[in-house]
Amino acid sequence: MNRLSEEVRRRRTFAIISHPDAGKTTLTEKLLLYGGAIHLAGSVKARRAERHATSDWMKMEQERGISVTSSVMQFAYQGFQINLLDTPGHADFSEDTYRTLIAADSAVMLLDNRKGVEERTRQLFEVCHRRRTPIFTFVNKCDRPGGEPLQLLDDVEKDLGLRCYPITWPISTGNTFLGVYDRLQRQVHLFERGADHGQTRALDEAIELDDPRVPELLGEDAHTRLLEEIELLEMAGTEFNTADFLAGEVSPTFFGSALTNFGVEPFLKVFLDMAPPPMPRETDVRVVEPEDPRFTGFVFKIQANMDPKHRDRIAFVRVCSGRFAAGMQVKHVRTGKQLRLAAPTQFLARDRTIIEEAWPGDVIGIHDRGTLRIGDTLSDDDDLEFGGIPRFSPEHFARINVPDPLRRKHLDEGLRQLSEEGAAQVFYADSIAGPAPIVGAVGILQFDVLLHRLEHEYNAKARLEPLSYRHARWVEGDERKIHEMASGGYGRTLVHDSKGRPLVLFDSEWTMRTTVEREKDLVFYDAAP
Ligand code: G4P
């Protein structure tokens, strides 16, 4: 096997999707602990503050050097190179999260054993499901009593239409968590609560289910219960089907406790074995195989603020094929220009290091002074473009103004660059709504970030005037009909995005729905067509 194939084969690039508080930070920390990337869990903990991100996020970011937006963690474990794409926990940064999921090859859906599927789990699942991303399920917090596991999995299927295939199963007396049973190995892993609150690896002894010590170790009740449940699972009779898993229809499911580390290592091992390595990706010209020696990649995220004074920003590029080498010259397909990628960085938790090479599945950070945009393709020399990085329909809108008219140019320049970065979406109103641009955001917190950055990076102190619109739909059709539709009633207005495409803002779900239903000659889209 050549080097490229070997590197592709051992890469696993994934993201964790969950509702806040399910334990994503804790699980991330434990995966890094097992990967040897950190020695004592707890160092990622500061990042938990991001959950509480409110308008003081900038202070937080400056003081702690943390980022409220996503980063990438790379670590090695048993011969695998793992890229864990971290996604912001705060729902206000959901656009960032959605885009990050596009760079992942699989996802781990983390559930709280008492709460099952929650609102944010559902939203993030939808994004993965649309792309048919293979999904693992990890039911967390099993160290304390939760819902009936069978019921929980049934609820997941009813709610998301995702079938769960248990790989491990919790062993408990109903009140006390004793361990997990590994259905693939037919082994029992007994849980021992360490004295250090999960700072180090869990003690984990695996015993064959048929070992004569098992009934005694579990106690009669838990043992009988386990045997009954195993039988029920076997009776359900479903064989694990890899094709269904790879299509995102069946989810290998695990039980454990990130806090105490229990069940984390058995999960990690099976995960690495089953999760797909980087897969072929479609472009407008051809399907790109990861083992194609010609380098390709795309920008899925741009993060600024690393040093606001220099407008230094980092473009996160997911490598899709070939070998990336530092200093390499690549083609920036959108502009046709050649770019030298001088000092790419790689990420481990909060530290960045300079790298010499990267392979498909890896994420590299490229220093950028405003050339790159989200969705841009970089390639060896081919004129191909990766698609599929959607923009999401904003839910909050505000007119943006600078009190000082001399700053208007700064404002426009700032808005142009920030919208390229994906920090906010900018719309231009037709005359009815006035000349000031309108900014749209998926989460309200994005506005705070926007104002702060306009002031500090572009010297444009702006103010927002919130608008009551809540939904946006891009619209296609006869121009006259579009104007008639937009002006023929209350609660809607016509604007254009930065590429001149028309869209309508609606003040309520009802106005939007009735308009879309009535206007049969027009086509409405929830993301830019
Ligand atoms: P998030 O990133 O998904 O928002 O969740 P995070 O890891 O911050 O965990 C949320 C809370 O759940 C934390 O408690 C954490 O300790 C707890 N937790 C995570 N995993 C487990 C688990 O396996 N078992 C139990 N029992 N709890 C778990 P907290 O009270 O908010 O913080 P702390 O005081 O424990 O630090």
Coordinates of all heavy atoms in Angstrom, one line a residue, residues 109 125 129 135 137 153-154 156-158 160-166 238-241 243-245 248-253:
M109 N -23.6 11.0 18.1 CA -24.8 11.7 18.7 C -24.8 11.3 20.2 O -24.9 10.1 20.5 CB -26.1 11.2 18.0 CG -27.3 11.8 18.6 SD -28.8 11.5 17.6 CE -29.1 9.8 18.0
F125 N -29.0 16.5 14.1 CA -29.2 15.2 13.4 C -29.7 15.4 12.0 O -29.2 14.8 11.0 CB -30.2 14.3 14.2 CG -30.7 13.1 13.4 CD1 -29.9 12.0 13.4 CD2 -31.9 13.2 12.7 CE1 -30.3 10.9 12.6 CE2 -32.3 12.1 12.0 CZ -31.5 11.0 11.9
H129 N -28.3 13.9 8.7 CA -29.1 12.9 8.0 C -29.3 13.3 6.5 O -29.3 12.5 5.6 CB -30.5 12.9 8.7 CG -31.3 11.7 8.2 ND1 -30.9 10.4 8.4 CD2 -32.5 11.6 7.6 CE1 -31.8 9.6 7.9 NE2 -32.8 10.3 7.4
I135 N -23.9 7.8 11.7 CA -24.0 8.3 13.0 C -23.9 7.2 14.1 O -24.5 6.2 14.0 CB -25.4 9.0 13.2 CG1 -25.4 10.2 12.2 CG2 -25.6 9.5 14.6 CD1 -26.8 10.9 12.2
T137 N -24.3 6.4 18.2 CA -25.0 7.0 19.4 C -24.3 6.6 20.6 O -23.9 5.4 20.8 CB -26.5 6.5 19.4 OG1 -27.1 6.8 18.1 CG2 -27.3 7.1 20.5
L153 N -34.1 3.8 23.3 CA -33.8 3.6 21.9 C -35.0 3.6 21.0 O -35.0 4.1 19.8 CB -33.1 2.2 21.7 CG -31.8 2.1 22.6 CD1 -31.0 0.9 22.1 CD2 -30.9 3.4 22.4
D154 N -36.1 3.2 21.6 CA -37.4 3.2 20.8 C -37.8 4.7 20.5 O -38.2 5.0 19.4 CB -38.5 2.5 21.7 CG -39.6 2.0 20.9 OD1 -39.3 1.4 19.8 OD2 -40.8 2.1 21.3
V156 N -35.8 7.2 20.2 CA -34.9 7.7 19.2 C -35.4 7.4 17.8 O -35.5 8.2 16.9 CB -33.4 7.2 19.4 CG1 -32.5 7.6 18.2 CG2 -32.8 7.6 20.7
E157 N -35.8 6.1 17.7 CA -36.3 5.7 16.4 C -37.6 6.4 16.0 O -37.7 6.9 14.9 CB -36.5 4.2 16.4 CG -37.1 3.7 15.1 CD -36.9 2.2 14.8 OE1 -36.3 1.5 15.7 OE2 -37.4 1.7 13.8
K158 N -38.5 6.6 17.0 CA -39.7 7.3 16.7 C -39.5 8.7 16.3 O -40.1 9.3 15.4 CB -40.7 7.2 17.9 CG -41.3 5.8 18.1 CD -42.7 6.0 18.7 CE -43.3 4.6 19.0 NZ -42.8 4.0 20.3
L160 N -36.5 10.3 15.4 CA -35.6 10.7 14.3 C -35.7 9.7 13.1 O -35.1 10.0 12.1 CB -34.1 10.7 14.9 CG -33.8 11.5 16.1 CD1 -32.4 11.4 16.5 CD2 -34.1 13.0 15.8
G161 N -36.3 8.6 13.3 CA -36.4 7.6 12.3 C -35.0 6.9 12.1 O -34.7 6.3 11.1
L162 N -34.2 6.9 13.2 CA -32.9 6.3 13.1 C -33.0 5.1 14.0 O -33.3 5.1 15.2 CB -31.9 7.3 13.7 CG -30.4 6.8 13.8 CD1 -29.8 6.7 12.4 CD2 -29.6 7.7 14.7
R163 N -32.6 3.9 13.4 CA -32.6 2.7 14.1 C -31.3 2.5 14.9 O -30.2 2.7 14.3 CB -32.8 1.5 13.2 CG -34.2 1.2 12.8 CD -34.4 0.1 11.9 NE -33.9 0.5 10.5 CZ -33.1 -0.3 9.7 NH1 -32.7 -1.5 10.1 NH2 -32.8 0.2 8.5
C164 N -31.4 2.2 16.2 CA -30.2 2.1 17.0 C -29.9 0.6 17.1 O -30.8 -0.2 17.4 CB -30.5 2.6 18.4 SG -30.6 4.4 18.4
Y165 N -28.6 0.3 16.9 CA -28.2 -1.1 17.1 C -27.2 -1.1 18.2 O -26.1 -0.7 18.1 CB -27.5 -1.6 15.8 CG -27.1 -3.1 15.9 CD1 -27.9 -4.1 15.5 CD2 -25.9 -3.4 16.5 CE1 -27.6 -5.4 15.6 CE2 -25.5 -4.7 16.6 CZ -26.3 -5.7 16.2 OH -26.0 -7.0 16.3
P166 N -27.7 -1.7 19.4 CA -26.8 -1.6 20.6 C -25.6 -2.5 20.4 O -25.7 -3.7 20.1 CB -27.7 -2.1 21.7 CG -29.1 -2.1 21.2 CD -29.0 -2.3 19.7
T238 N -32.3 -8.3 14.6 CA -31.8 -7.5 13.5 C -30.2 -7.7 13.4 O -29.6 -7.6 14.4 CB -32.0 -6.0 13.7 OG1 -31.9 -5.8 15.1 CG2 -33.4 -5.7 13.2
E239 N -29.8 -8.1 12.3 CA -28.4 -8.2 12.0 C -27.8 -6.8 11.8 O -28.5 -6.0 11.2 CB -28.1 -9.0 10.8 CG -28.4 -10.5 10.9 CD -27.3 -11.3 11.6 OE1 -26.2 -11.1 11.2 OE2 -27.6 -12.0 12.6
F240 N -26.6 -6.6 12.2 CA -26.0 -5.3 11.9 C -25.7 -5.2 10.4 O -25.0 -6.1 9.9 CB -24.8 -5.0 12.7 CG -24.2 -3.7 12.5 CD1 -24.8 -2.5 13.0 CD2 -23.1 -3.5 11.7 CE1 -24.3 -1.3 12.7 CE2 -22.6 -2.3 11.4 CZ -23.2 -1.1 11.9
N241 N -26.1 -4.2 9.7 CA -25.9 -4.1 8.3 C -25.1 -2.8 8.0 O -25.5 -1.7 8.2 CB -27.3 -4.0 7.6 CG -27.2 -3.8 6.1 OD1 -26.3 -3.2 5.6 ND2 -28.1 -4.4 5.4
A243 N -24.0 -1.5 5.3 CA -24.5 -0.6 4.2 C -25.5 0.4 4.8 O -25.5 1.6 4.5 CB -25.1 -1.3 3.1
D244 N -26.4 -0.1 5.7 CA -27.4 0.8 6.3 C -26.7 1.8 7.2 O -27.1 2.9 7.3 CB -28.4 0.0 7.1 CG -29.4 -0.7 6.2 OD1 -29.4 -0.5 5.0 OD2 -30.2 -1.6 6.7
F245 N -25.7 1.3 7.9 CA -25.0 2.2 8.8 C -24.3 3.3 8.0 O -24.4 4.5 8.3 CB -23.9 1.4 9.6 CG -22.8 2.2 10.2 CD1 -23.1 3.3 11.1 CD2 -21.5 2.0 9.8 CE1 -22.0 4.1 11.6 CE2 -20.5 2.8 10.3 CZ -20.7 3.8 11.1
G248 N -26.4 6.1 7.0 CA -27.0 6.9 8.1 C -28.3 6.4 8.5 O -29.1 7.2 9.1
E249 N -28.7 5.1 8.2 CA -30.0 4.6 8.6 C -30.0 3.9 9.9 O -31.0 3.8 10.6 CB -30.5 3.7 7.5 CG -30.6 4.3 6.1 CD -31.7 5.4 6.1 OE1 -32.6 5.4 6.9 OE2 -31.6 6.3 5.2
V250 N -28.8 3.2 10.2 CA -28.7 2.5 11.5 C -27.5 3.0 12.3 O -26.5 3.3 11.7 CB -28.4 1.0 11.2 CG1 -28.1 0.2 12.4 CG2 -29.7 0.3 10.5
S251 N -27.7 3.1 13.6 CA -26.7 3.7 14.4 C -26.2 2.8 15.4 O -26.9 2.3 16.3 CB -27.3 5.0 15.1 OG -26.4 5.6 15.9
P252 N -24.9 2.4 15.3 CA -24.3 1.6 16.4 C -24.3 2.4 17.7 O -23.9 3.5 17.7 CB -22.8 1.4 15.9 CG -22.8 1.9 14.5 CD -23.9 2.8 14.3
T253 N -24.8 1.7 18.7 CA -25.2 2.5 20.0 C -24.4 1.9 21.2 O -24.2 0.7 21.3 CB -26.7 2.4 20.2 OG1 -27.3 3.0 19.1 CG2 -27.1 3.1 21.5

